[in-house]
Amino acid sequence: MRSNAKRHRYLPALAALLVLAAPVVAQTAPADTATAYEELLIVRRLRALQLIKAQAEAIAPMLQELAKARVRADVLERAFYLETADVVSTWEIGQLRGQPLPDDVRLWLGTACTRYARSRGPEDQASYATANAVWARLSETQRTLIETDAAAKVRLAKEESERRRRDASMRLALSDLSWVRNADDAQYPTERATRAEAVAKAIRPDGDAATLQMLSGRMVAFYDAVRRMSAVQYNASLPRLPQQLKYVLDPPLPKPANAPLMTGAEWVAFIQDPRTLLVLIKIMPVLPTEVAP
Amino acid sequence: MMQRKLTLALAALLVAAPLSAQEPPANPNLEEARLTASKLAWADLPIVRVLDDLGLSSDQANRLQPVLAALQAQFRAIDTRLAAALQAAAADISATNKALLAGRPAPVAADLARYEQMRDEATRERDDAVLTATTKVDTILTKQQRALIQQSDMATPPGQPKPRPEYLLKAHEAQAQWQAQVQQTMMRLLQQGRGETNPQRYAQLAPQACLQAAAQATGLAPREAAVQALAKQLVAGLDQARRLNPAEVAQRIVQLAAAMVRAVSDTLASLPNSGLRPPVLVTSADLEDLVRYERSPLLLQSWVRERPAVLIEAPEQPGV
């Protein structure tokens, strides 16, 4: 078995090469504070993963493969953008003018797009396989820190549904404001609760009675506050009312304690980033040889 | 051994990558400019698509433009504040980086903590600004446009990924084909209209030809009120085309055809679930993309400038 010193004999050379070589390293050198901060995020993530040395050594060549694949993908992408530069401008102008792309141009562009998608296919598949190999090297505990694709899909769908519902209920509530300001004193106390309940139901159609009551209570308080404003106060507050309403209907929640360290998309970008390999090599000497108890 | 292999392979990669990219271009600056322009155009396309699918009028675009420009100004102000906080945290970032890379615990870093707190706040601030802007945008949209967004939301499962640029053409193929087909019909109609030299014959035949074209393009019966209204707009297009002088025909006739396609599109948009046009979907997420997109204010200006000519219907003359 080699000693640690011997095992890492080539690491400084590797790091030096990374720093000297272009263009990958152009993205890796902490040339300014923003880049240094991005590098810090990488260091933190790698530390948070609590990799052991054996894992890092096994993963490093895979990250190298991914970095290579990313360079190749960047080259293909660049060629695609350059190849289609003129046609896409024509397409954009045509779309602004309401003119369809001529058939021959559409055919040419379609062929260029298909060719590019096909050329990316094997690269993407190979990268996917390598990313899976990296994933396979992680322990169960480490995997829980990364959101799976399936979980990400569910989360994104949930977030968008909630946003759609929030926007719909906000539209409803904002359309109530002129009524809130102008309703007569006899009508207002009885009807405001009905309107508030409608808004609560719009944002939480499946909410239980307690949740709906809580939300409509908050809406009533909001309506009352808006009604109490003087004309001057109301006009001054108008630009901020949508934000205030958002906090009433959808207050920001603290990040849950079990929130993943990275989403699936962030994980893929993380392992494809050549700087991750660079940082991994840098921290390799200080990684533990065993999992901490 | 493994590290040596890794070193050599990585060195080969890093040296080979730029070589494999391409032959050095004749003018690197020109190539970079082309690359940037192409990337921007690809990024613009889905946003222009939203404007087109919504059927945004020039007046609406003129009202939207300052709202979105103000939002971008707000974004820039947030970015400037953040950049200053990041700069102030430079020493902390460097010290924390060094400590973590050396396997030591992160030092106390007040400036870094402040920057990261500001970053979180900035995300919320941006979301709030988008929300306020979207509320204003909402008041600019028509009832039909809002209904289209609502219907699209119901028809689209939430959380769908956006197509990558190379799939954009395919994603809108059916729509593009429909548009090309209607454009051809309108061009033929315009050429026929211009070709009729006898004014009386033109006055007799044009309304019937336009009614047929309107029915054909919409897939609706000629007796439908919407088809008859559309036919009137098409006649207006034909009238305008006949007044063109030879010098402007080539350019203006294409614009008029585009305006007539737009008229067909607007007619179908006001009649959901009818006609031959493939379904148009503009979700609230698409609208938010438009609101957030950095170049939207610029695109709205272009939209007003490049928008097809307006079909001006001649006032009805009594007894004609």
Side-chain angles (χ1 to χ4, degrees):
Chain A
M1 187 124 180
R2 284 164 192 270
S3 69
N4 270 350
K6 197 160 185 183
R7 185 178 290 178
H8 300 298
R9 204 168 114 192
Y10 301 102
L11 290 181
L14 178 60
L17 266 166
L18 272 165
V19 171
L20 289 171
V24 174
V25 172
Q27 302 161 16
T28 67
D32 55 28
T33 318
T35 317
Y37 182 69
E38 283 168 20
E39 192 177 306
L40 173 61
L41 293 179
I42 293 173
V43 182
R44 278 180 181 164
R45 282 173 170 174
L46 279 173
R47 290 280 304 256
L49 277 171
Q50 297 189 317
L51 295 169
I52 59 168
K53 200 164 281 178
Q55 276 181 315
E57 284 174 356
I59 287 171
M62 298 175 194
L63 295 190
Q64 187 198 9
E65 279 307 310
L66 288 169
K68 271 159 68 173
R70 190 176 130 164
V71 170
R72 287 194 297 266
D74 286 349
V75 169
L76 286 172
E77 187 186 82
R78 186 184 166 91
F80 170 72
Y81 280 127
L82 284 171
E83 187 189 9
T84 56
D86 295 331
V87 171
V88 76
S89 298
T90 311
W91 187 13
E92 186 181 8
I93 293 286
Q95 208 165 56
L96 284 166
R97 291 179 180 162
Q99 293 163 5
L101 265 181
D103 283 347
D104 56 336
V105 179
R106 199 166 72 225
L107 196 70
W108 182 90
L109 188 60
T111 310
C113 290
T114 308
R115 199 169 47 238
Y116 171 57
R118 282 197 185 135
S119 67
R120 281 286 301 260
E123 288 292 347
D124 289 348
Q125 276 173 18
S127 294
Y128 184 72
T130 313
N132 276 344
V134 175
W135 180 259
R137 289 283 173 173
L138 299 183
S139 69
E140 277 304 317
T141 316
Q142 286 163 339
R143 284 180 199 171
T144 58
L145 297 172
I146 299 149
E147 189 182 43
T148 62
D149 283 349
K153 269 184 196 158
V154 172
R155 177 180 55 79
L156 289 171
K158 187 170 170 269
E159 281 172 5
E160 199 179 327
S161 304
E162 282 171 0
R163 186 189 55 74
R164 285 178 186 179
R165 280 207 297 262
R166 186 201 68 201
D167 290 355
S169 55
M170 280 203 43
R171 265 196 293 277
L172 191 62
L174 287 169
S175 68
D176 276 350
L177 291 186
S178 64
W179 175 84
V180 168
R181 297 285 300 166
N182 301 316
D184 61 51
D185 288 343
Q187 187 195 24
Y188 179 74
T190 49
E191 205 178 318
R192 67 173 181 170
T194 315
R195 287 178 181 255
E197 277 163 24
V199 174
K201 272 185 191 149
I203 196 164
R204 290 273 178 273
D206 45 3
D208 56 30
T211 309
L212 293 177
Q213 202 179 355
M214 182 267 290
L215 278 170
S216 51
R218 294 169 68 124
M219 275 311 298
V220 166
F222 178 76
Y223 286 157
D224 287 351
V226 170
R227 190 170 166 86
R228 275 197 303 273
M229 287 177 188
S230 68
V232 175
Q233 283 173 327
Y234 179 67
N235 287 333
S237 306
L238 260 179
R240 290 190 309 277
L241 284 181
Q243 285 166 32
Q244 289 170 1
L245 196 51
K246 181 187 157 199
Y247 283 83
V248 169
L249 290 169
D250 191 16
L253 299 170
K255 207 175 170 184
N258 61 349
L261 175 68
M262 279 178 269
T263 64
E266 283 168 346
W267 164 250
V268 172
F270 175 70
I271 58 178
Q272 283 182 338
D273 190 335
R275 289 174 300 186
T276 303
L277 175 60
L278 180 69
V279 173
L280 184 70
I281 291 165
K282 280 185 191 169
I283 64 165
M284 227 187 255
V286 296
L287 290 178
T289 49
E290 290 175 355
V291 181
Chain B
M1 193 68 184
M2 188 202 75
Q3 294 296 347
R4 174 186 245 173
K5 272 189 191 163
L6 189 64
T7 310
L8 292 173
L10 195 54
L13 153 73
L14 293 167
V15 174
L19 297 178
S20 68
Q22 266 167 1
E23 287 297 309
N27 184 342
N29 290 339
L30 198 66
E31 186 170 293
E32 287 311 309
R34 258 171 77 79
L35 185 69
T36 308
S38 179
K39 282 183 178 177
L40 289 176
W42 278 108
D44 288 349
L45 277 167
I47 307 298
V48 180
R49 183 93 239 160
V50 174
L51 301 180
D52 197 29
D53 285 347
L54 278 175
L56 207 74
S57 69
S58 297
D59 173 55
Q60 285 180 309
N62 279 328
R63 284 159 63 205
L64 266 181
Q65 205 273 346
V67 174
L68 301 191
L71 177 69
Q72 289 306 322
Q74 247 178 304
F75 282 177
R76 282 193 296 275
I78 294 170
D79 290 344
T80 308
R81 269 202 327 268
L82 268 183
L86 177 67
Q87 222 44 55
D92 277 359
I93 291 168
S94 171
T96 311
N97 239 335
K98 271 185 199 149
L100 292 179
L101 283 171
R104 295 193 307 270
V108 175
D111 287 335
L112 177 58
R114 201 168 302 123
Y115 165 67
E116 294 195 311
Q117 195 190 341
M118 272 181 77
R119 232 164 78 105
D120 290 346
E121 282 166 7
T123 308
R124 278 198 293 275
E125 213 178 319
R126 275 195 204 96
D127 287 348
D128 285 351
V130 168
L131 189 71
T132 306
T134 309
T135 314
K136 288 181 191 159
V137 170
D138 232 29
T139 61
I140 295 170
L141 298 182
T142 63
K143 218 179 205 176
Q144 282 96 342
Q145 287 165 334
R146 283 198 297 266
L148 170 66
I149 293 169
Q150 219 172 345
Q151 285 158 10
S152 304
D153 273 355
M154 285 194 286
T156 317
Q160 292 296 298
K162 303 278 171 205
R164 280 198 335 214
E166 65 269 27
Y167 298 111
L168 271 183
L169 191 68
K170 205 164 252 180
H172 299 292
E173 205 168 13
Q175 185 73 27
Q177 275 176 3
W178 173 83
Q179 202 187 7
Q181 210 179 330
V182 179
Q183 175 99 355
Q184 266 178 12
T185 308
M186 296 307 151
M187 282 298 282
R188 264 200 310 273
L189 190 66
L190 285 166
Q191 274 150 9
Q192 281 170 2
R194 275 186 62 82
E196 181 52 70
T197 48
N198 181 336
Q200 270 183 333
R201 240 178 96 77
Y202 169 77
Q204 271 176 350
L205 296 178
Q208 192 54 34
C210 287
L211 191 64
Q212 271 178 7
Q216 190 192 338
T218 56
L220 300 170
R223 64 175 180 281
E224 297 269 353
V227 175
Q228 290 181 6
L230 173 62
K232 274 188 183 172
Q233 286 183 282
L234 300 186
V235 172
L238 250 60
D239 290 348
Q240 280 170 261
R242 280 172 70 83
R243 288 195 293 271
L244 294 177
N245 64 51
E248 57 179 0
V249 167
Q251 190 205 346
R252 292 277 294 144
I253 206 126
V254 181
Q255 284 182 341
L256 278 170
M260 288 156 84
V261 175
R262 166 53 57 202
V264 175
S265 194
D266 289 346
T267 302
L268 290 172
S270 64
L271 301 163
N273 308 322
S274 63
L276 305 170
R277 188 177 64 155
V280 169
L281 292 175
V282 184
T283 63
S284 49
D286 294 330
L287 184 69
E288 191 177 320
D289 288 346
L290 162 72
V291 170
R292 279 183 189 268
Y293 186 52
E294 196 181 357
R295 281 164 53 87
S296 282
L298 198 70
L299 288 177
L300 285 165
Q301 282 175 343
S302 307
W303 180 253
V304 174
R305 199 179 51 241
E306 302 288 349
R307 220 186 123 71
V310 178
L311 301 174
I312 305 154
E313 287 178 52
E316 282 192 28
Q317 289 167 22
V320 176

